[in-house]
């Protein structure tokens, strides 16, 4: 099989795979309930397997070449080209790179089918939490396998679920203004959603760093700054909603904000201390310091009162003072030439 015919075969498989899921996606919402969810989930599972399977062996098998490795390819081609070049030089293997369209054509419908199964089988807050969990799993897969497709999947699913969570499960109004504490089930849901958002943001930052999408410079700020802000939103949601669970009064609300400010400052101190030789951690620490100071001046000074304001300002100030002293000492020690 020539390179052209291999690409033709791969294109045909991609078209078939992409079209195979359409009946399930159309029928699932019509059936509704668990039957529709199982139908869409089954389609997602099948397509996920198809997305994993296509590779060099699949293309070689379709080409009629039983060559599991590079040496076998060299033998079949009759050429003595060392290493990976032999794979590229072998006739009929030009379509190896074309396996990617099959994976994309199977992976995109698989994610769509999974989202359909979740939305059809669940409703309201459970659906939002489930999609956040799916996005977190995809982000962890991106971290472990350095998969761009998993990273994009996590960004898309996480973005949609975060928007839904902000609208109903962890609204921003709960974090900026206290009127009356929500019911306990709503607070528990808000804590769970905020925790998933925080974990997802952390996983996305790590995955972006491993993929080379996120670097500690201004050119990539358009990627890591929004993810970091979403992570801070999740962290604040966890603390404040947990405080309202403990004390569903204005006291719990203000105490939660005081804890958020101090915890951001402590987190910045940890990042700065560990970032002496890691620019990414150092820049993250500086950004977190700026966020904590901005919150302290722009929000805590206006919204908090009494003891909570004193705790926020005093706690953050002491931590910043200790952080500056300790960081200066660590920098001085790091700059000293080694003795001997």
């Amino acid at each position: 099989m020539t390179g052209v015919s291999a690409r033709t075969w791969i294109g045909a498989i991609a078209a078939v795979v992409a079209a195979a899921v359409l009946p399930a996606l159309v029928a699932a919402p019509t059936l509704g309930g668990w039957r529709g969810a199982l139908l869409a989930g089954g389609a997602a599972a099948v397509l996920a397997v198809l997305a994993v399977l296509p590779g060099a062996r699949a293309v070689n098998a379709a080409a009629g070449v039983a060559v599991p490795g590079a040496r076998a390819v060299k033998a079949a081609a009759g050429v003595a080209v060392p290493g990976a070049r032999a794979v590229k030089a072998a006739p009929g293997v030009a379509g190896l790179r074309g396996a990617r369209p099959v994976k994309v054509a199977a992976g995109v419908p698989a994610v769509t089918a999974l989202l359909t199964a979740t939305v059809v089988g669940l409703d309201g807050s459970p659906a939002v939490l489930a999609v956040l969990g799916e996005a977190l799993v995809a982000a962890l897969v991106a971290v472990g396998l350095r998969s761009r497709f998993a990273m994009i999947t996590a960004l898309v699913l996480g973005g949609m679920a975060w928007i839904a969570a902000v609208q109903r499960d962890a609204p921003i109004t709960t974090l900026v203004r206290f009127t009356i504490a929500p019911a306990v089930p709503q607070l528990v849901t808000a804590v769970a959603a905020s925790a998933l958002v925080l974990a997802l943001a952390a996983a996305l930052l790590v995955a972006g760093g491993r993929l080379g999408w996120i670097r500690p410079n201004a050119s990539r700020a358009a990627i890591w700054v929004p993810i970091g802000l979403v992570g801070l939103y999740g962290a604040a949601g966890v603390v404040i909603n947990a405080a309202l669970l403990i004390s569903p009064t204005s006291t719990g609300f203000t105490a939660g904000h005081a804890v958020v400010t101090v915890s951001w400052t402590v987190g910045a101190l940890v990042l700065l201390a560990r970032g002496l030789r890691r620019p990414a951690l150092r820049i993250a620490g500086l950004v977190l310091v700026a966020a904590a100071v901005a919150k302290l001046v722009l929000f805590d000074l206006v919204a908090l009162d009494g003891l909570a304001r004193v705790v926020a300002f005093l706690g953050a100030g002491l931590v910043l003072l200790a952080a500056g002293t300790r960081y200066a000492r660590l920098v001085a020690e790091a700059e000293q030439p080694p003795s001997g």
Side-chain angles (χ1 to χ4, degrees), residues 10-305:
I10 290 173
I13 292 297
V16 171
V17 169
V21 75
L22 292 179
L25 293 180
V26 172
T30 304
L31 290 176
W34 287 106
R35 290 188 300 172
L38 289 175
L39 178 61
V46 172
L47 289 169
V49 172
L50 292 177
V52 173
L53 287 180
R57 296 185 180 182
V59 177
N60 288 334
V65 184
V67 284
R71 295 182 180 179
V73 173
K74 288 192 293 183
V79 293
V81 184
R85 296 181 180 178
V87 180
K88 297 179 181 179
V93 192
L96 282 173
R97 296 181 180 178
R100 180 175 296 178
V102 180
K103 293 186 177 183
V104 174
V108 172
V111 174
T112 305
L114 179 61
L115 182 61
T116 302
T118 304
V119 175
V120 171
L122 301 173
D123 188 22
S125 298
V128 175
L129 295 177
V131 176
L132 281 173
E134 293 163 2
L136 177 58
V137 171
L140 294 176
V141 171
V143 172
L145 302 181
R146 297 187 180 183
S147 169
R148 295 182 179 181
F149 181 80
M151 179 71 173
I152 295 173
T153 299
L155 286 171
V156 173
L157 293 180
M160 292 188 299
W162 177 74
I163 292 174
V166 169
Q167 290 179 344
R168 57 173 300 166
D169 299 305
I172 192 172
T173 54
T174 306
L175 304 184
V176 299
R177 185 176 67 253
F178 179 81
T179 53
I180 183 172
V184 171
Q186 294 176 335
L187 289 174
V188 172
T189 301
V191 170
S194 300
L196 286 172
V197 167
L198 174 60
L200 175 60
L204 286 174
L205 290 175
V206 176
R210 290 178 63 85
L211 287 170
W213 292 8
I214 297 177
R215 298 187 183 280
N217 52 49
S219 62
R220 304 296 178 90
I223 300 177
W224 60 265
V225 168
I227 298 176
L229 292 176
V230 170
L232 292 180
Y233 182 87
V238 170
V239 174
I240 294 172
N241 288 294
L244 288 175
L245 272 174
I246 298 173
S247 176
T249 62
S250 60
T251 302
F253 176 79
T254 54
H257 268 289
V259 172
V260 168
T261 303
V262 175
S263 64
W264 285 7
T265 311
V266 172
L269 171 61
V270 174
L271 290 173
L272 288 173
R274 297 181 63 86
L276 291 176
R277 292 180 175 85
R278 296 181 181 181
L281 295 181
R282 184 169 64 251
I283 292 178
L286 293 173
V287 171
L288 192 53
V289 166
V293 173
K295 180 181 181 300
L296 192 66
V297 175
L298 299 178
F299 181 84
D300 294 348
L301 185 62
V302 178
L304 304 187
D305 55 3

